[in-house]
Amino acid sequence: MRIALDVMGGDLGPRATVDGAYLYLKEAPKDDHIVLVGDQDLIKERLKHIPEKYHKRFSIVHAPDNIGMNESPTEAFKKKTNASMVVGLKLHASGQADAFVSAGHTGAQMAGSLLTLKRIPGVKRPAIGSFLPSEKGMVFLIDVGANVDSKPIHLLQFALMASIFVGEVFQQKDLKIGLLSIGEEEKKGNALTLAAHQLFKENLPNFYGNVEGRDILKGKTDIIVCDGFVGNALLKMAESVMGVIVKAIKRNIGANLFTNLGALLVKPAFSELKRSYDYQEYGGVPLLGVDGISIICHGNSTARAIKNALRVAHEMSSHQVNKRIAEKLREKELNNA
Amino acid sequence: MRIALDVMGGDLGPRATVDGAYLYLKEAPKDDHIVLVGDQDLIKERLKHIPEKYHKRFSIVHAPDNIGMNESPTEAFKKKTNASMVVGLKLHASGQADAFVSAGHTGAQMAGSLLTLKRIPGVKRPAIGSFLPSEKGMVFLIDVGANVDSKPIHLLQFALMASIFVGEVFQQKDLKIGLLSIGEEEKKGNALTLAAHQLFKENLPNFYGNVEGRDILKGKTDIIVCDGFVGNALLKMAESVMGVIVKAIKRNIGANLFTNLGALLVKPAFSELKRSYDYQEYGGVPLLGVDGISIICHGNSTARAIKNALRVAHEMSSHQVNKRIAEKLREKELNNA
């Protein structure tokens, strides 16, 4: 398969993206090919660091512009026709690439993906999830910000799309699905979750029930569904917690000579912990529900994260995740609900 | 003033509540008096541990029942007329006590406070906040679960009540108020926050603007306002994060002898950190908006937390927080909005 990679997106630029593509190709099936989309001079420069024998598995599409973090997503997407994200998504939409991966402007990628790829038949709203580390492995929280003011039917579709994606791409069986609410009892919640709870009960054999905020990191379920406003606030707070705690520990540790020594000794364990809380190790996540494969990576993705994101794109394609989503919605008769 | 204290509520029982009352009286103005509401035998037993000269500053009201954590709040409140929470709140409502403090069933206390004390004129919905430790001191997040499906006017009232409470009780000036949303720009948010943003701009001179999930613990503002569904999920997740991290560190540390030694040395710093993340050190928080003083404490409150909660009750009264709330709503003409 051919995967278009936005070389310009992300804080680390070609060093992360081109190198990530190389790391991916070293392990990928022989017929996988990466289309590097971005400034051709920068790309060629960076390719010099990649072993010659891999060069035939790359092609370059010149697209020197980049969408800045402060630009309006939809406007930028329409105006900046030479931006790597625009060109890359169009390559995918026109069939010249089978998937698209970017660590660029997330809002622009979501808006652009929807514009160019359209929705899978039956899907009302695309959604984006995020992996969080839990006490029992990873948990997939969806939606973390593609939508606000969701309706119950949207949450049900998020649940179905997420279980197909996580089940197929990460080969997990019997996934338990939780609905985020403010109490475990089915009568606890707001208007949205009370109605969604009933829909989930009727349509999801693997519905666990409501889960509370305190359960998210406990791994009671594999997937947790919520409105994108709530998921976005939760995700961003979770991401910041580790930083706050590290700072607090440093502050505390400074106060005491003995603990200063201790800090030195405990440091390796701490780095390991920090890594395990670094969600980008999972690579990227697809914008679920668009009729194509658009993998969204964190802005500060490393080469390793890009490699993993390319792998997610590959698995999305080889397991026909989108086809299965369309089938499931038809089967549940949710495609016209 | 006379403060009614629910002796039976909370996981630690009279040992925390009676002892907490004693700790409070040691520091409180001489005319403060605590009405101990609960099983009189248990109370008398525990009072034996309190120095004789303080006994005249306690009185006992026998109320042997307790509302269990699994009981329906409103029903339990109506049926269990001998429950310490019911008796205590009625003492306050009838004027025999000037405030009520409990570490019992939070839901029952919220429902019961509203039933017995009613609302401050003009307040549409009472709300409850919680102090979270931030990089720059404490931040007050409101609402954390008294309401779901809030309207913009509710959020504005939460903001006003919170700034009067925090400003008066903790003597803080120039409090900055943030509105939780999914982006800093005023056009980012859901239907609720987009409308609330405009209301805040018009009515709150100290409105900072939108804050994101990642900013909550950074202390960009002193108060953060959100709907109770969102606040509840965020608060419960924040509470669980520390536990998850401690477990992860223990797991990691076990893997290495050197870090094991380090753990021993770093332990004091870590306990201190854990304490600073233990919100119950702030005592309790009032259910803001009811026409009385009902201080809600965490179920596992220690004697020290109870002491602090009693102090909050005292300050609420001496600074006339409720009167100021009513005045502010009249001034802003929000009392009939």
Side-chain angles (χ1 to χ4, degrees), chain A residues 65-259:
Chain A
D65 270 3
N66 197 10
I67 297 179
M69 293 318 280
N70 294 319
E71 296 188 64
S72 151
T74 322
E75 264 181 53
F77 196 85
K78 285 181 180 165
K79 279 183 193 163
K80 285 200 163 174
T81 48
N82 278 326
S84 52
M85 189 179 283
V86 181
V87 174
L89 270 170
K90 285 183 179 165
L91 281 173
H92 177 28
S94 66
Q96 295 170 75
D98 305 301
F100 174 70
V101 172
S102 176
H105 191 313
T106 300
Q109 189 174 352
M110 291 199 291
S113 300
L114 193 52
L115 276 170
T116 53
L117 304 171
K118 315 292 179 191
R119 287 172 292 167
I120 295 170
V123 169
K124 294 184 174 297
R125 290 187 178 189
I128 183 164
S130 182
F131 287 106
L132 293 173
S134 85
E135 291 180 18
K136 294 178 187 161
M138 64 190 177
V139 57
F140 191 68
L141 183 70
I142 187 170
D143 174 49
V144 296
N147 304 276
V148 295
D149 301 318
S150 308
K151 294 181 179 160
I153 180 76
H154 302 149
L155 297 194
L156 177 59
Q157 289 198 344
F158 299 166
L160 290 166
M161 293 193 295
S163 50
I164 292 167
F165 164 64
V166 177
E168 292 293 330
V169 171
F170 297 92
Q171 291 292 298
Q172 291 194 27
K173 285 184 181 169
D174 305 319
L175 293 169
K176 276 182 293 186
I177 300 174
L179 174 65
L180 183 73
S181 193
I182 57 169
E184 293 200 339
E185 309 88 327
E186 75 176 81
K187 287 181 182 166
K188 286 276 180 75
N190 58 12
L192 171 65
T193 64
L194 292 175
H197 189 104
Q198 297 310 314
L199 266 185
F200 279 32
K201 266 205 329 199
E202 288 158 19
N203 288 286
L204 302 174
N206 47 351
F207 179 42
Y208 169 89
N210 289 352
V211 292
E212 296 186 73
R214 67 167 65 94
D215 302 321
I216 295 174
L217 302 178
K218 288 195 180 150
K220 283 190 175 180
T221 65
D222 306 285
I223 292 166
I224 297 177
V225 182
C226 60
D227 168 62
F229 184 94
V230 180
N232 186 273
L234 283 168
L235 177 68
K236 285 180 178 163
M237 179 153 115
E239 286 179 18
S240 81
V241 164
M242 199 64 208
V244 172
I245 286 179
V246 169
K247 274 187 201 168
I249 285 184
K250 279 183 186 158
R251 241 195 341 262
N252 274 286
I253 280 174
N256 187 310
L257 186 67
F258 281 104
T259 52

Side-chain angles (χ1 to χ4, degrees), chain B residues 163-295:
Chain B
S163 50
I164 292 169
F165 164 65
V166 177
E168 293 292 331
V169 171
F170 297 92
Q171 290 292 299
Q172 291 194 26
K173 286 182 182 170
D174 305 318
L175 293 167
K176 277 182 291 187
I177 300 174
L179 174 66
L180 184 74
S181 193
I182 56 171
E184 292 200 340
E185 307 89 330
E186 77 176 81
K187 287 182 182 167
K188 286 276 181 74
N190 58 13
L192 171 64
T193 63
L194 292 176
H197 189 105
Q198 296 310 313
L199 266 186
F200 278 33
K201 265 206 327 198
E202 289 158 19
N203 288 284
L204 302 174
N206 46 350
F207 179 41
Y208 170 88
N210 289 350
V211 293
E212 295 187 75
R214 69 166 64 95
D215 302 321
I216 296 175
L217 302 180
K218 287 193 181 152
K220 284 190 176 181
T221 64
D222 307 284
I223 292 167
I224 297 176
V225 182
C226 61
D227 169 62
F229 184 94
V230 180
N232 186 273
L234 283 168
L235 177 68
K236 285 181 178 163
M237 181 153 121
E239 287 180 18
S240 81
V241 163
M242 199 61 208
V244 172
I245 287 180
V246 169
K247 274 188 200 168
I249 285 185
K250 279 183 184 158
R251 244 196 338 265
N252 275 287
I253 280 175
N256 187 311
L257 186 67
F258 282 104
T259 53
N260 231 324
L261 174 62
L264 215 78
L265 296 172
V266 91
K267 215 177 166 188
F270 214 78
S271 324
E272 193 184 322
L273 176 75
K274 199 172 173 184
R275 254 199 321 277
S276 82
Y277 271 77
D278 184 2
Y279 53 97
Q280 72 170 305
E281 294 294 319
Y282 299 102
V285 286
L287 180 60
L288 285 170
V290 293
D291 198 5
I293 298 171
S294 177
I295 307 292

Side-chain angles (χ1 to χ4, degrees), chain B residues 276-324:
Chain B
S276 82
Y277 271 77
D278 184 2
Y279 53 97
Q280 72 170 305
E281 294 294 319
Y282 299 102
V285 286
L287 180 60
L288 285 170
V290 293
D291 198 5
I293 298 171
S294 177
I295 307 292
I296 296 173
C297 307
H298 205 272
N300 58 5
S301 288
T302 58
R304 191 170 158 223
I306 296 293
K307 179 193 90 169
N308 291 334
L310 290 164
R311 198 168 53 198
V312 170
H314 180 99
E315 300 295 326
M316 281 278 289
S317 171
S318 66
H319 288 94
Q320 301 186 294
V321 167
N322 288 350
K323 186 167 159 261
R324 288 171 198 271

Side-chain angles (χ1 to χ4, degrees), chain B residues 111-132:
Chain B
S113 300
L114 193 52
L115 276 171
T116 53
L117 304 171
K118 315 294 179 190
R119 287 172 290 168
I120 295 170
V123 169
K124 294 185 173 296
R125 288 185 176 190
I128 184 165
S130 183
F131 288 105
L132 293 173

Side-chain angles (χ1 to χ4, degrees), chain B residues 124-177:
Chain B
K124 294 185 173 296
R125 288 185 176 190
I128 184 165
S130 183
F131 288 105
L132 293 173
S134 85
E135 290 179 19
K136 294 178 188 161
M138 62 189 181
V139 56
F140 191 68
L141 183 71
I142 184 169
D143 174 53
V144 296
N147 304 279
V148 294
D149 299 318
S150 307
K151 294 180 179 160
I153 180 75
H154 301 149
L155 296 194
L156 177 60
Q157 289 199 344
F158 300 167
L160 289 166
M161 294 194 293
S163 50
I164 292 169
F165 164 65
V166 177
E168 293 292 331
V169 171
F170 297 92
Q171 290 292 299
Q172 291 194 26
K173 286 182 182 170
D174 305 318
L175 293 167
K176 277 182 291 187
I177 300 174

